[in-house]
Amino acid sequence: MSAIEEKFLKTFGEEPDLVAAAPGRVNLIGEHIDYSEGFVLPFAIKDRTLAAVRKRGDSSVRIASAQRRNKIVTVDIADVKPGLKGEWERYALGVLWSMGVTSGVDIMIDGHVPLGAGLSSSAALECSVATAMNHLFDMGFNLEELARLTQKAENQYVGVPCGIMDQSVSLMATQGFALLLDCRDLSTRNIPFDVASHGLELLIIDTQAHHALTDGGYAERRASCESVAAKLRVKSMRELTMTDLDAARDQITHTEYIRARHAVGEVKRVLDCVDALSIADFAKVGELINQSHVSLRDDYTVSCPELDTAVEASLAAGAMGSRMVGGGFGGSAIALIKASQTAQTIHAVENAFAYKKFKAPRFFTSLPSQGAEILSRR
Ligand code: ADP
Ligand code: MG
């Protein structure tokens, strides 16, 4: 019996019907543009969240997480609606609600994605539960539908206005590839992302900083982009070129202008990065990553001193590119580095953090991994 099956048995007194897994993610480039109908280029990391589930004969939902001391939360499925008070379990209950689950179920969660580090433990949790429910109740949703339903859960049930990228890559990623996702129509394309054979590596630097407990800053950025779209009569930032935006500068506020400049520029950087990857031009990839960070720092203003320090120190140590990833205000940065320089890069970042008296960062590397899957089924 696997570790998660044992935890399920210990917690609920029965064996689970099936176990599903879904990974966290790192976005190589394309930050804060999923909700602007842009392109993003994330890959799944090896760390993932497991959901073991079992059908019940009644209407009770019992749910526990190994990261929350296995404490069982019990609710009636009929009460699972937005507005129901709760804590972490809302991420899972929101998925039951958005998928239209109507019968009782036991759910055991065991997550290996660092929580709140910008690696999307929330999407890993949602997607592991969604994959498990889809198979447990033979619901027949395809991956695009599951991406929309898990996003809906986080938006409308948990109340976080996230885009669709995290859930899409957690569900659809393929090992050895990054996933180019067109956030307008959810079409995807696997982009070979073979850093290893080029002697390169992606270093993930978890700054352990968390400057925003709520997503107010995120909502404000998103609202700026939507306001620019309304004023310029386009559906989203995707439809604008930099020339269009500059021409309309007097119709929008300065803040709206710089927010939109990030979105419009970032869409182009993702497409340029796909071109660079197609010819394995990693120097160009590094350059684009650096430009992305500058734009997030200066135009979108979602960086923070710890993220800027991680980026500056890794570049000073010889990284080819480095930027903050995820929503910002803390969380993680990535650096594209020569594999032979991993130790010296880590050392340089540690020193820079110590010098500034920041909490010590955590480091890990990851290769592009597989998306959500069923691990076992009885
Ligand atoms: P991120 O997605 O970047 O990790 P979020 O704040 O969006 O950060 O999501 C983290 C939240 O998701 C946690 O605070 C918790 O409520 C929930 N969560 C994620 N994974 C787990 C888990 N394994 N067990 C319990 N809650 C989890
Ligand atoms: Mg999240």
Side-chain angles (χ1 to χ4, degrees):
M1 203 186 284
S2 67
I4 177 93
E5 287 167 329
E6 271 171 27
K7 284 176 190 171
F8 188 99
L9 178 61
K10 221 174 141 200
T11 306
F12 296 120
E14 311 259 7
E15 282 181 38
D17 291 332
L18 63 85
V19 178
R25 62 92 187 95
V26 171
N27 188 19
L28 183 62
I29 194 163
E31 208 64 77
H32 274 286
I33 48 166
D34 50 351
Y35 50 81
S36 287
E37 298 194 321
F39 296 95
V40 293
L41 191 60
F43 61 93
I45 59 175
K46 65 178 187 305
D47 303 297
R48 52 193 189 173
T49 295
L50 308 185
V53 298
R54 185 173 197 280
K55 277 186 195 168
R56 293 174 54 87
D58 58 16
S59 63
S60 289
V61 176
R62 294 192 299 172
I63 177 164
S65 165
Q67 284 68 49
R68 292 290 182 270
R69 299 168 179 216
N70 301 332
K71 191 175 149 257
I72 299 176
V73 178
T74 306
V75 295
D76 193 283
I77 190 72
D79 297 329
V80 176
K81 296 188 188 83
L84 181 67
K85 292 231 176 338
E87 294 173 16
W88 71 272
E89 75 280 2
R90 290 179 306 138
Y91 289 89
L93 295 179
V95 172
L96 303 194
W97 165 75
S98 69
M99 290 178 78
V101 171
T102 51
S103 10
V105 63
D106 287 338
I107 304 173
M108 179 77 217
I109 300 296
D110 193 3
H112 302 275
V113 182
L115 268 59
L119 300 176
S120 214
S121 69
S122 58
L125 171 49
E126 291 151 6
C127 294
S128 66
V129 171
T131 302
M133 291 303 121
N134 204 31
H135 285 79
L136 187 67
F137 294 115
D138 291 318
M139 299 179 97
F141 291 116
N142 65 32
L143 297 180
E144 284 81 5
E145 289 166 336
L146 288 180
R148 286 199 192 281
L149 290 169
T150 46
Q151 181 201 22
K152 183 178 171 188
E154 188 153 343
N155 288 170
Q156 296 181 29
Y157 196 100
V158 185
V160 176
C162 63
I164 194 140
M165 174 183 75
D166 299 352
Q167 293 83 0
S168 296
V169 65
S170 185
L171 290 161
M172 300 173 196
T174 305
Q175 188 172 358
F177 293 83
L179 184 78
L180 177 68
L181 168 68
D182 181 337
C183 299
R184 179 147 71 188
D185 59 11
L186 285 195
S187 61
T188 56
R189 184 147 64 91
N190 276 323
I191 308 295
F193 185 39
D194 187 7
V195 283
S197 71
H198 290 83
L200 303 175
E201 191 162 71
L202 280 149
L203 178 67
I204 301 166
I205 305 159
D206 176 6
T207 66
Q208 306 238 53
H210 306 285
H211 293 296
L213 292 176
T214 64
D215 279 79
Y218 187 113
E220 185 266 323
R221 282 11 173 231
R222 188 176 175 152
S224 281
C225 289
E226 285 165 2
S227 168
V228 172
K231 287 181 182 175
L232 304 191
R233 295 177 201 284
V234 291
K235 200 160 162 274
S236 71
M237 296 299 91
R238 166 79 166 272
E239 293 172 14
L240 293 178
T241 63
M242 210 55 99
T243 315
D244 299 333
L245 184 63
D246 284 337
R249 208 171 165 162
D250 58 353
Q251 297 170 48
I252 56 181
T253 68
H254 175 69
T255 300
E256 286 171 344
Y257 173 73
I258 59 176
R259 303 295 190 244
R261 183 166 66 183
H262 167 73
V264 173
E266 191 76 355
V267 170
K268 178 149 192 323
R269 281 188 288 274
V270 176
L271 297 177
D272 290 349
C273 190
V274 168
D275 290 345
L277 282 174
S278 73
I279 52 167
D281 182 353
F282 286 101
K284 180 74 185 172
V285 171
E287 225 174 83
L288 291 162
I289 289 172
N290 289 336
Q291 288 169 12
S292 173
H293 184 74
V294 169
S295 178
L296 288 160
R297 183 190 67 197
D298 298 344
D299 279 355
Y300 231 57
T301 62
V302 289
S303 191
C304 65
E306 292 87 348
L307 285 168
D308 291 340
T309 300
V311 166
E312 283 156 25
S314 56
L315 288 176
M320 300 170 74
S322 183
R323 71 176 196 88
M324 55 156 282
V325 294
F329 311 112
S332 297
I334 52 163
L336 179 64
I337 61 175
K338 295 192 180 69
S340 59
Q341 295 184 343
T342 308
Q344 77 182 56
T345 311
I346 288 175
H347 194 62
V349 175
E350 275 173 345
N351 279 346
F353 270 57
Y355 182 75
K356 295 195 174 173
K357 299 195 164 52
F358 295 152
K359 187 174 175 188
R362 290 186 295 177
F363 300 89
F364 49 102
T365 55
S366 186
L367 294 174
S369 304
Q370 185 60 37
E373 56 188 337
I374 296 294
L375 295 185
S376 66
R377 182 166 200 167
R378 273 206 303 174

